[in-house]
Amino acid sequence: MRYLPLYLLFLIVFVSCDQLDKVSEPPMTSDLDGKWALQSVRCFCFFPDDFDFSVHQLEFDTMANEVRVDNSEGTNFVTGSGTYPFTIQNDSIVIKERIAYTYQIDGTILILTFIDDPQLADDEISLVYSKL
């Protein structure tokens, strides 16, 4: 009976450590791997009806923590064409250590939403991609 408080203390510490481990697990990123083509843009901006978004593509390699960005000439989405490092922090992707987007993956659809400056009214943008 005298070991009961010690046993209860051990049990509480063990259970709380197990719950902390579950919270800190990194999000699943394997769904992000591969090539994605831009399908549409939601923003306070204008694009002609015949604008071809699909020439803008992203290719994520989560093993190397790199993303390759391909843009059409004269139009940049996310950042300029090239290969850049990225990190995932909770539900956000940070490219080049400074460009941040929240991301959602629903099957073959990826939605990147720019984490905007609340002081600017016209920087809200969401990019909708489909997996190739």
Side-chain angles (χ1 to χ4, degrees):
M1 194 69 168
R2 68 179 205 203
Y3 292 108
L4 184 61
L6 184 61
Y7 175 74
L8 289 174
L9 179 64
F10 174 76
L11 184 62
I12 291 170
V13 169
F14 179 76
V15 170
S16 65
C17 289
D18 186 47
Q19 289 174 350
L20 289 174
D21 289 344
K22 290 179 184 177
V23 170
S24 64
E25 289 179 6
M28 291 294 293
T29 58
S30 61
D31 291 342
L32 188 59
D33 272 329
K35 202 166 197 175
W36 301 84
L38 186 62
Q39 297 301 306
S40 65
V41 176
R42 300 176 194 148
C43 64
F44 295 111
C45 46
F46 172 76
F47 294 99
D49 292 336
D50 62 345
F51 189 85
D52 184 11
F53 291 105
S54 67
V55 295
H56 172 73
Q57 297 180 354
L58 300 176
E59 186 170 1
F60 287 95
D61 180 352
T62 57
M63 294 297 287
N65 289 329
E66 291 183 338
V67 59
R68 177 172 168 74
V69 178
D70 292 317
N71 288 300
S72 62
E73 190 173 314
T75 305
N76 287 340
F77 292 99
V78 179
T79 191
S81 294
T83 302
Y84 304 100
F86 77 92
T87 57
I88 295 180
Q89 301 168 353
N90 299 322
D91 63 345
S92 298
I93 294 174
V94 180
I95 299 171
K96 295 172 42 176
E97 298 180 0
R98 60 182 169 81
I99 305 168
Y101 291 86
T102 60
Y103 78 99
Q104 298 174 315
I105 299 175
D106 186 10
T108 60
I109 301 297
L110 167 67
I111 301 173
L112 297 179
T113 303
F114 182 65
I115 300 175
D116 64 334
D117 181 348
Q119 302 298 322
L120 299 176
D122 62 350
D123 66 341
E124 293 85 12
I125 185 168
S126 292
L127 307 167
V128 180
Y129 294 86
S130 65
K131 195 158 197 173
L132 296 176

